[in-house]
């Protein structure tokens, strides 16, 4: 990115200088966001400090977005407790960060409550909620595909359950359309990842 390539795919320095097509297949958002920290760490050649700060930012952002979503359903104190619990859940914090170092999955936890926040706003017909849902869903797709596959039913179920009786189908359709737009927005990553798998061993 800092070399002026808007959407880097090929990593030329991996595999002893032979390169790697990593970002053709691996969702890039967590790493692209981390690269924004580079100017603040000019001596961090390996990128370890940048990754550490980015991981911390992901955990904090996940708590903020969890609070934004859940405060629509419960009181402020309960929302704060929920957000803290979301941040320190063993799978989220211990497994993803400290045991497996699953950086992409750690960042995926940021977008889950944000998607539910915008889904809630779609249900309540709030301005810009469609755009917010589409963008947050595309960020999830471009962050971690297995989480996307597991999670994608939840916004639809949320709309089906939470929408008013006479509005369920309409809100479900709007949520579905926003998610399809999110798929389109992530097409720069998703289309090559899906159509060129025969070229590599995944």
């Amino acid at each position: 990115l800092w070399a002026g390539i808007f959407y880097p795919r090929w990593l030329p320095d991996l595999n002893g200088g032979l390169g790697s097509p990593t970002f053709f297949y691996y969702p890039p958002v967590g790493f692209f966001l981390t690269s924004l920290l580079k100017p603040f760490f000019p001596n961090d050649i390996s990128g370890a400090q940048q990754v550490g700060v980015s991981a911390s930012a992901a955990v904090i952002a996940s708590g903020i977005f969890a609070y934004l979503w859940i405060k629509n359903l419960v009181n402020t104190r309960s929302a704060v407790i929920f957000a803290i619990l979301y941040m320190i859940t063993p799978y989220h914090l211990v497994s993803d960060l400290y045991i497996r170092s699953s950086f992409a999955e750690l960042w995926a936890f940021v977008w889950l409550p944000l998607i539910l926040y915008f889904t809630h706003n779609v249900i309540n017909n709030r301005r810009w909620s469609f755009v917010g849902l589409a963008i947050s869903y595309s960020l999830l797709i471009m962050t971690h595909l297995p989480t996307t596959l597991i999670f994608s039913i939840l916004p639809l179920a949320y709309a089906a359950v939470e929408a008013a009786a006479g509005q369920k189908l309409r809100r479900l359709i709007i949520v579905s359309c926003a998610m399809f737009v999110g798929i389109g927005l992530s097409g720069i990553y998703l289309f090559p990842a899906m159509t060129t798998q025969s070229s590599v061993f995944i």
Side-chain angles (χ1 to χ4, degrees), residues 6-7 23-24 26 38 44 48 68 83 85 89 91 117 133 146 167 186 192 197:
F6 174 70
Y7 186 78
F23 289 133
F24 277 90
Y26 202 83
K38 185 173 176 60
D44 182 25
L68 278 179
L85 290 174
T89 309
Y91 183 82
Y117 168 76
L133 179 54
Q167 290 287 313
S186 64
Q197 289 188 23

Side-chain angles (χ1 to χ4, degrees), residues 91-143:
Y91 183 82
H92 180 194
L93 188 64
V94 180
S95 178
D96 272 352
L97 185 57
Y98 292 113
I99 296 176
R100 297 190 299 121
S101 298
S102 181
F103 188 70
E105 194 171 354
L106 184 72
W107 266 101
F109 273 89
V110 173
W111 314 126
L112 306 183
L114 189 63
I115 290 168
L116 294 177
Y117 168 76
F118 284 117
T119 301
H120 183 89
N121 288 349
V122 166
I123 293 167
N124 291 282
N125 201 28
R126 292 183 183 154
R127 193 175 183 186
W128 299 108
S129 55
F130 183 94
V131 174
L133 179 54
I135 291 172
S136 57
Y137 188 65
S138 72
L139 287 170
L140 177 62
I141 292 170
M142 294 183 68
T143 300

Side-chain angles (χ1 to χ4, degrees), residues 60-76 78-84 86-87 110-121 124 126 158:
I60 293 167
S62 71
I64 291 169
F65 291 147
Y67 173 80
L68 278 179
W69 165 53
I70 207 69
K71 77 180 177 70
N72 293 305
L73 305 173
V74 298
N75 61 49
T76 302
S78 297
V80 169
I81 292 170
F82 174 86
I84 291 169
Y86 184 71
M87 291 167 63
V110 173
W111 314 126
L112 306 183
L114 189 63
I115 290 168
L116 294 177
Y117 168 76
F118 284 117
T119 301
H120 183 89
N121 288 349
N124 291 282
R126 292 183 183 154
Y158 193 138

